Amino acid sequence: MANVVVVGTQWGDEGKGKIVDLLTRYADYIVRFQGGNNAGHTLVVDGKQFIFHIIPSGILYENKKCMIGNGVVVDPAVLLDEIEELNANGLPVTPERMTISENAHLIMPYHKSIDLGSEASLQDSKKIGTTGRGIGPCYGDKILRKGIKMGDLLDVDLFKDKLRENVEEKNFLLNERYKGQPVVFDDIYGLFMEYAERLAPYLGNVSVELDMARKDGKHILFEGAQGTQLDIDHGTYPFVTSSNTIAGNACIGTGFGPAHIDSVIGILKAYTTRVGSGPFPSELFDETGEQLQKKGGEFGATTGRKRRCGWLDAVVANDAVRLNGITGLAITKLDVLSGQPILKIATSYEEGGEKFTAMPSNIKRTERVKPIYEELAGWQEEIAHIREYDDLPVQAKDYIRRIEDITETPPFIVSVGPDREETLLLKNPFEM
């Protein structure tokens, strides 16, 4: 039995979907613990691309059980679309294959309206870069104790009461603050009763089911969305997401005891990217940045927005190791660096004569810091065909070794291409 958490170490988009897909082979349960459909996991299997926003990517394996924890916020329309798409591809998503926590909160239509209205009201310099999916307002209602949970769909009177109170309040905000269109109670009620009928068979107590699985000696894999620097408490606030993205939330977001976690795998892209607004110390604005963006296919899986690209940031990586308790790294997109004559790693920052080895908490200082780099030799060979670590170019192995030295964390996995088979598994966390 082993229970493993997979987290992103940067600003998301590190390639978590592929690593979760790889580790799913050894797991019995795959559990999503936070976030919503503002993040996407992209997988390439036998040349076919799959993009998941809510359903755990382990659903591609027929003999695995997938679960959506209480820490996730669920847009039922998106969830049902994903279920239908998988059904159409010969991968039926039945209640036997997936459980949704009754305590997961629902993203409502007014959440999306408020999300868009709030972002539109901000000056350009203060825009967060939200996806407009309603994630933040949904989490906000949860904290304000005004949220509607998945389980509330099963109690018509309870759902009606909660919805009526929210529609009245949200329409006041939409009309008076954002000058937007009001939402209509009857329209939302009718739509969500249809959702309730279709989703009711999937609802259950994820915490109880996971505890039973643990006692039965099953392997459990927990997957998060986004990355460490987007954590609401520990990221580059306010340019963050609305939930805790770090490993500790794997327990809170599923109802699983922290003493039962065995290892944490941090997904580290071999360079750094960021979507949307916010500070990015190692960002490149030159030809190299464009090369990384094009060769890496750096577009957001959810929004299609072009990702900002930069050199690997070891300050960010070390923050992630500390905050998540990372026991092993999965280094992704190493192949994208092929052809670069010189590689750089930001090992610290400088601002105002002060040196930083961790991300400053003051956002203004974070925006002003300058990275201090060390340089390593690059390699010219393409490496996607390589299947053994020892066959990598010497410079590629030197680069990986330097990452290990700086972060004091060993590499468990190295990805040399987008396909399932283009992955080197150095150490399996389920077999330790």
Side-chain angles (χ1 to χ4, degrees):
M1 177 194 77
N3 304 310
V4 178
V5 181
V6 172
V7 294
T9 62
Q10 298 155 315
W11 281 280
D13 308 310
E14 299 96 349
K16 293 181 293 298
K18 180 186 177 183
I19 302 305
V20 169
D21 176 67
L22 169 69
L23 295 177
T24 294
R25 301 176 190 180
Y26 310 98
D28 301 297
Y29 286 73
I30 303 89
V31 194
R32 171 81 179 271
F33 65 82
Q34 54 78 219
N37 59 301
N38 57 336
H41 287 175
T42 303
L43 299 177
V44 179
V45 182
D46 297 328
K48 182 175 177 58
Q49 186 180 81
F50 294 86
I51 299 178
F52 299 101
H53 297 94
I54 302 177
I55 295 178
S57 43
I59 201 71
L60 293 180
Y61 289 84
E62 296 182 16
N63 60 337
K64 311 293 181 178
K65 181 67 181 279
C66 289
M67 313 190 86
I68 296 173
N70 57 275
V72 179
V73 289
V74 179
D75 185 326
V78 174
L79 176 58
L80 288 166
D81 282 347
E82 290 191 6
I83 291 173
E84 290 175 0
E85 182 178 356
L86 285 161
N87 289 344
N89 278 281
L91 292 166
V93 183
T94 64
E96 290 71 33
R97 296 190 65 212
M98 184 173 73
T99 300
I100 306 167
S101 173
E102 296 169 329
N103 287 327
H105 279 244
L106 283 161
I107 298 173
M108 306 299 291
Y110 47 76
H111 290 139
K112 301 176 192 178
S113 299
I114 291 170
D115 203 358
L116 293 170
S118 175
E119 184 79 350
S121 70
L122 298 173
Q123 297 177 355
D124 286 346
S125 62
K126 295 185 177 180
K127 289 186 185 296
I128 303 300
T130 174
T131 61
R133 265 60 171 183
I135 310 300
C138 183
Y139 276 116
D141 272 359
K142 176 179 178 177
I143 299 304
L144 290 169
R145 300 180 294 278
K146 297 178 179 179
I148 301 177
K149 300 193 293 184
M150 293 291 297
D152 296 339
L153 291 172
L154 306 180
D155 186 325
V156 175
D157 291 335
L158 177 61
F159 179 78
K160 271 187 176 179
D161 289 344
K162 285 190 170 186
L163 179 61
R164 188 173 286 110
E165 291 175 7
N166 274 290
V167 165
E168 182 179 353
E169 179 184 273
K170 272 38 175 193
N171 276 342
F172 178 81
L173 182 61
L174 287 169
N175 288 329
E176 299 299 322
R177 177 70 177 87
Y178 300 125
K179 311 302 179 185
Q181 293 296 316
V183 295
V184 180
F185 173 89
D186 289 340
D187 292 347
I188 298 174
Y189 175 75
L191 181 62
F192 274 72
M193 285 300 98
E194 293 178 15
Y195 294 153
E197 184 176 355
R198 297 173 65 185
L199 291 174
Y202 295 93
L203 301 185
N205 192 319
V206 165
S207 177
V208 169
E209 192 170 340
L210 285 176
D211 198 51
M212 292 174 61
R214 176 187 66 82
K215 290 176 179 176
D216 287 341
K218 302 297 185 183
H219 294 313
I220 304 173
L221 179 62
F222 297 86
E223 65 166 327
Q226 289 100 15
T228 299
Q229 287 296 334
L230 291 177
D231 185 276
I232 188 69
D233 287 300
H234 302 285
T236 48
Y237 187 90
F239 301 99
V240 293
T241 193
S242 302
S243 61
N244 289 109
T245 61
I246 62 174
N249 200 25
C251 298
I252 298 168
T254 61
F256 194 77
H260 305 312
I261 298 298
D262 297 296
S263 61
V264 179
I265 305 302
I267 316 303
L268 180 72
K269 191 179 287 187
Y271 49 101
T272 310
T273 62
R274 178 166 197 168
V275 170
S277 305
F280 182 179
S282 68
E283 183 172 8
L284 292 168
F285 300 95
D286 57 9
E287 184 180 348
T288 301
E290 292 181 7
Q291 291 171 352
L292 294 176
Q293 196 278 324
K294 290 178 181 177
K295 188 171 183 179
E298 296 296 353
F299 295 92
T302 298
T303 63
R305 291 181 294 182
K306 183 184 289 188
R307 295 173 185 150
R308 300 152 64 190
C309 296
W311 292 120
L312 181 64
D313 190 329
V315 175
V316 166
N318 280 322
D319 275 356
V321 169
R322 182 185 72 254
L323 291 166
N324 293 286
I326 290 172
T327 54
L329 294 173
I331 300 172
T332 59
K333 290 200 168 184
L334 186 67
D335 54 300
V336 176
L337 295 181
S338 292
Q340 294 294 337
I342 298 294
L343 303 176
K344 296 184 181 182
I345 299 176
T347 55
S348 60
Y349 305 147
E350 187 276 332
E351 194 277 324
E354 185 176 351
K355 183 178 179 180
F356 292 88
T357 55
M359 189 70 75
S361 60
N362 183 309
I363 194 65
K364 293 298 184 183
R365 299 202 77 176
T366 303
E367 290 171 340
R368 295 194 298 264
V369 297
K370 301 297 181 184
I372 299 173
Y373 289 112
E374 68 173 56
E375 295 186 356
L376 293 89
W379 62 93
Q380 297 303 307
E381 306 96 307
E382 295 298 332
I383 60 174
H385 65 283
I386 290 176
R387 297 295 176 266
E388 297 293 335
Y389 181 80
D390 288 343
D391 294 335
L392 287 171
V394 171
Q395 297 89 340
K397 288 185 285 189
D398 288 343
Y399 187 69
I400 294 169
R401 191 175 300 112
R402 186 64 186 130
I403 293 172
E404 179 178 4
D405 290 343
I406 293 172
T407 62
E408 299 180 350
T409 308
F412 279 21
I413 300 167
V414 177
S415 175
V416 295
D419 202 80
R420 260 183 180 173
E421 305 309 314
E422 295 171 337
T423 314
L424 313 180
L425 181 60
L426 311 183
K427 185 181 292 186
N428 188 339
F430 286 107
E431 295 178 349
M432 293 172 58

